[in-house]
Amino acid sequence: MSSNKPVVSIRAATVADVPTIFDFIKGLAIYEKLEREHVGTHADLTATLFGERPYAHVFIASLPEKGDVGFCLYFFNYSTFLCKPGIYLEDLFVKEEARGLGVGKALLKHLAKEALRLGCGRLDWQALDWNTPAINFYLGIGAKSLDEWKSFRLTGENLTKFAGSS
């Protein structure tokens, strides 16, 4: 049984990939209708991904004759109930011209294998509630929607204000 889908190559990003990662993040921000929130710079990415203390890691997906077409950015979290580390998938993005070719699935599967290799107990991520294709895909691979949980965030002035409060 043959497949018409091209072979996806996945590799760990290096500092030379910062412009590519930046462009992927910009594409993701546009897709998610959050372009106004994309305020980071190449220097920010370099410092936080490849500096003295990397805060996150990136895998880049490539296709023959198309080059780099997608990425996932992740970092480690911890489950106190499992007493094991976990991986949190912050972003997964595939360029429009490469969607439907198995790139997203390959990136997610690669990350799942990395989680198991490192002894992680789980792989977590979020999806925007309007992103039905992604939600259906995630449910189709066996992921559970954690509908009983609500996400919260402190950022900017609210983070500063709360941190300084007594």
Side-chain angles (χ1 to χ4, degrees):
M1 182 178 204
S2 73
S3 170
N4 293 335
K5 293 189 179 185
V7 175
V8 180
S9 298
I10 298 176
R11 62 181 171 77
T14 68
V15 71
D17 293 309
V18 165
T20 300
I21 297 166
F22 187 87
D23 289 346
F24 285 145
I25 294 169
K26 183 175 182 177
L28 176 65
I30 292 167
Y31 178 79
E32 292 184 340
K33 302 170 182 71
L34 297 169
E35 190 173 8
R36 70 192 175 285
E37 295 187 29
H38 180 224
V39 296
T41 66
H42 287 209
D44 294 331
L45 282 176
T46 300
T48 56
L49 297 179
F50 303 103
E52 188 175 316
R53 181 175 185 245
Y55 290 92
H57 310 277
V58 174
F59 288 124
I60 293 181
S62 302
L63 289 175
E65 299 179 23
K66 289 190 185 284
D68 297 335
V69 294
F71 87 121
C72 67
L73 185 146
Y74 67 97
F75 55 86
F76 295 95
N77 58 18
Y78 192 83
S79 169
T80 53
F81 291 173
L82 296 176
C83 296
K84 288 186 174 189
I87 286 181
Y88 185 84
L89 171 62
E90 177 66 24
D91 288 323
L92 188 149
F93 177 74
V94 177
K95 288 181 176 179
E96 190 170 353
E97 66 266 19
R99 292 183 192 145
L101 299 176
V103 176
K105 183 176 184 178
L107 278 164
L108 196 54
K109 188 174 281 245
H110 188 83
L111 192 56
K113 288 178 182 178
E114 182 75 352
L116 292 176
R117 184 183 75 78
L118 296 171
C120 295
R122 63 188 188 197
L123 173 58
D124 293 303
W125 66 93
Q126 295 180 340
L128 289 168
D129 61 0
W130 57 261
N131 194 347
T132 308
I135 292 167
N136 290 338
F137 170 74
Y138 299 145
L139 293 172
I141 64 167
K144 255 180 33 179
S145 177
L146 302 177
D147 297 331
E148 67 276 14
W149 289 88
K150 282 214 168 272
S151 295
F152 294 89
R153 175 177 296 148
L154 280 172
T155 187
E157 186 179 321
N158 289 341
L159 175 61
T160 303
K161 184 177 173 181
F162 181 70
S165 66
S166 26

